[in-house]
Amino acid sequence: MTGASPTSSRPPRPSPAVIRRRRLVVGLIVVLAIALVAVLATIAVRAFSGGDPKAATIGTGGTPTPTPTSTPLTPAEQLLKTAADPAKACAVSFSGEGVTQAPMLQTEGVLYTGLPIPERAGAVFAGWYPTPETATSQVQTDRVNGSQLTACTDHQRTLYAAWTTPEQNVATAAKIPILMYHQFTTKPEGEDNWLRNNYVYIEDFKAQMDYVAAQKFYLPTWDELNAFIDGKLFLPQHSLIITDDDADPTWLQLAVPVVTERKLLTTSFVITGERKDGSPSPYVLQRSHTNDMHRAGDNGKGRMVNLSADEVAADLEESAKVLGAKEVIAYPYGHYNATAEEGVTKAGFLLARTIEHGYVKIGTHKLELPVIRINYGDTVQGLKENIG
């Protein structure tokens, strides 16, 4: 009898291909199981944290990862976002003891405008400086004001306040000369007419401006002069203001290039009824010589002393519309009276310049500012004797 083989009851051994398929299926099951566990864990964590995914996010190793937040903009950066011309915008910030002024926008390449004049009990403001160290040393040539073009790094800069004492401010006894020019001539012998004395020889003017530039006089703005008169701002003794009356063609053609080349802040008092053009130079401020009062009135003197205070104010308001500024006027022919001063005040002007000889000091009458008149034949030596 032939019997069965001892191994005939064993199942056949799977082939290698079958074994690989089985292992692959097992691996997939394991991966799916792990993924399922991860999903269930995430759901559990969110349920535990109230459903807020920001409360706890599972990161590597199960460590919660906080959601990143953006860095808030500084006040200066916020200001820059409002600039009409971002390419030239400069956000100027202010720092120093007692300083609370917010940053302000300036325009690079344009004169600083309206820099604040802070006040502090028991102290007198002594100007803005580029660093804390220069604010402490208070070297006059480091001082920053509206006689300089705005300059920034990456559209921002900070200015630092300097202070002095009221006693030191009074003791300095600064006397600020306001130079007054009119017309200019290229003739060394001068002009042969009834206004001969008004015409300064242009080479004399160049020499005078060379002296001012070389001696590095501080050139105050009108708002600084206003605060100085009130005793709220320190001005160095080595200060002066340059002005021209009438915006005569000889001023525009001959003198403006001189002050522009030397970067000297100058004020041109313009008769706006005759000239409405913008400033001829980055360094020339245009201010009011009235709109239509630079002519004789009924009594032969300037119209400014022939009109009512309301009429004077209306004329000056018209002038301010053309110039876009008030601050200061120059009386035509130097004629003024109490009514004229009332009109100046009604129109909102702070200062008025006469043709009377003298210097501006603390306490000077703001509507009767004196001048140093420059005439034909006045040389640089004469200027030195007048301004030091």
Side-chain angles (χ1 to χ4, degrees):
M1 177 175 180
T2 303
S5 163
T7 61
S8 62
S9 61
R10 296 179 184 178
R13 181 179 181 86
S15 68
V18 171
I19 293 173
R20 285 196 296 270
R21 282 197 297 271
R22 288 177 179 175
R23 288 176 179 174
L24 178 61
V25 170
V26 172
L28 288 173
I29 292 172
V30 171
V31 170
L32 289 172
I34 292 173
L36 179 60
V37 170
V39 170
L40 292 174
T42 300
I43 293 173
V45 170
R46 289 187 177 181
F48 181 77
S49 62
D52 184 1
K54 294 182 180 179
T57 302
I58 300 301
T60 57
T63 304
T65 302
T67 302
T69 57
S70 59
T71 303
L73 297 177
T74 66
E77 290 170 337
Q78 293 175 6
L79 191 61
L80 286 171
K81 290 179 71 69
T82 70
D85 186 356
K88 295 183 179 179
C90 176
V92 180
S93 300
F94 305 97
S95 182
E97 186 177 357
V99 173
T100 59
Q101 279 72 17
M104 66 186 305
L105 274 181
Q106 299 284 336
T107 303
E108 291 202 58
V110 176
L111 293 175
Y112 285 101
T113 303
L115 291 178
I117 300 175
E119 295 185 31
R120 194 180 110 206
V124 174
F125 183 58
W128 295 112
Y129 286 83
T131 65
E133 293 75 21
T134 53
T136 299
S137 60
Q138 294 186 29
V139 176
Q140 172 191 312
T141 51
D142 291 329
R143 188 164 167 174
V144 177
N145 80 330
S147 68
Q148 300 151 37
L149 302 184
T150 303
C152 286
T153 301
D154 295 329
H155 302 288
Q156 294 190 52
R157 81 171 303 181
T158 300
L159 297 178
Y160 298 85
W163 300 92
T164 189
T165 65
E167 294 76 17
Q168 182 60 48
N169 190 40
V170 172
T172 299
K175 300 187 301 181
I176 313 301
I178 300 176
L179 306 183
M180 180 180 68
Y181 293 89
H182 285 85
Q183 288 88 17
F184 299 83
T185 179
T186 58
K187 301 176 182 178
E189 70 278 13
E191 298 293 327
D192 186 17
N193 59 45
W194 70 281
L195 287 175
R196 173 182 173 82
N197 218 30
N198 277 3
Y199 283 84
V200 173
Y201 178 42
I202 191 61
E203 296 303 324
D204 286 334
F205 181 67
K206 289 179 181 178
Q208 292 164 1
M209 295 302 100
D210 280 340
Y211 176 73
V212 171
Q215 292 297 311
K216 301 186 183 302
F217 277 83
Y218 185 74
L219 305 176
T221 56
W222 294 105
D223 57 342
E224 287 184 303
L225 190 72
N226 181 67
F228 164 75
I229 292 172
D230 288 336
K232 297 179 179 179
L233 175 74
F234 172 81
L235 286 181
Q237 185 72 267
H238 205 56
S239 302
L240 65 80
I241 295 176
I242 307 165
T243 72
D244 175 82
D245 283 13
D246 307 334
D248 184 81
T250 61
W251 152 255
L252 297 168
Q253 296 162 11
L254 299 176
V256 166
V258 174
V259 296
T260 302
E261 181 181 352
R262 290 154 182 79
K263 300 180 180 179
L264 298 175
L265 180 69
T266 308
T267 296
S268 175
F269 287 111
V270 179
I271 307 165
T272 54
E274 299 177 4
R275 173 180 166 80
K276 292 181 170 58
D277 295 340
S279 175
S281 164
Y283 291 95
V284 174
L285 304 176
Q286 293 197 141
R287 296 297 183 262
S288 180
H289 206 19
T290 78
N291 184 62
D292 189 32
M293 290 191 286
H294 200 287
R295 54 193 178 93
D298 294 340
N299 65 358
K301 291 188 176 182
R303 293 191 73 211
M304 195 152 201
V305 294
N306 280 267
L307 301 178
S308 69
D310 287 340
E311 290 171 316
V312 168
D315 179 280
L316 293 176
E317 289 281 10
E318 189 64 30
S319 179
K321 289 179 185 176
V322 175
L323 299 172
K326 290 188 175 180
E327 290 186 324
V328 62
I329 75 148
Y331 295 117
Y333 315 113
H335 296 166
Y336 67 96
N337 57 18
T339 302
E341 291 183 355
E342 182 183 352
V344 171
T345 301
K346 278 190 171 185
F349 287 76
L350 300 174
L351 305 167
R353 203 218 62 197
T354 72
I355 61 171
E356 297 164 7
H357 181 85
Y359 302 85
V360 179
K361 307 172 186 176
I362 296 174
T364 291
H365 195 312
K366 291 184 180 182
L367 299 182
E368 299 176 8
L369 302 180
V371 301
I372 302 299
R373 178 188 173 95
I374 309 297
N375 299 313
Y376 170 75
D378 287 340
T379 64
V380 67
Q381 183 57 41
L383 182 72
K384 292 178 183 179
E385 292 169 0
N386 273 314
I387 68 175

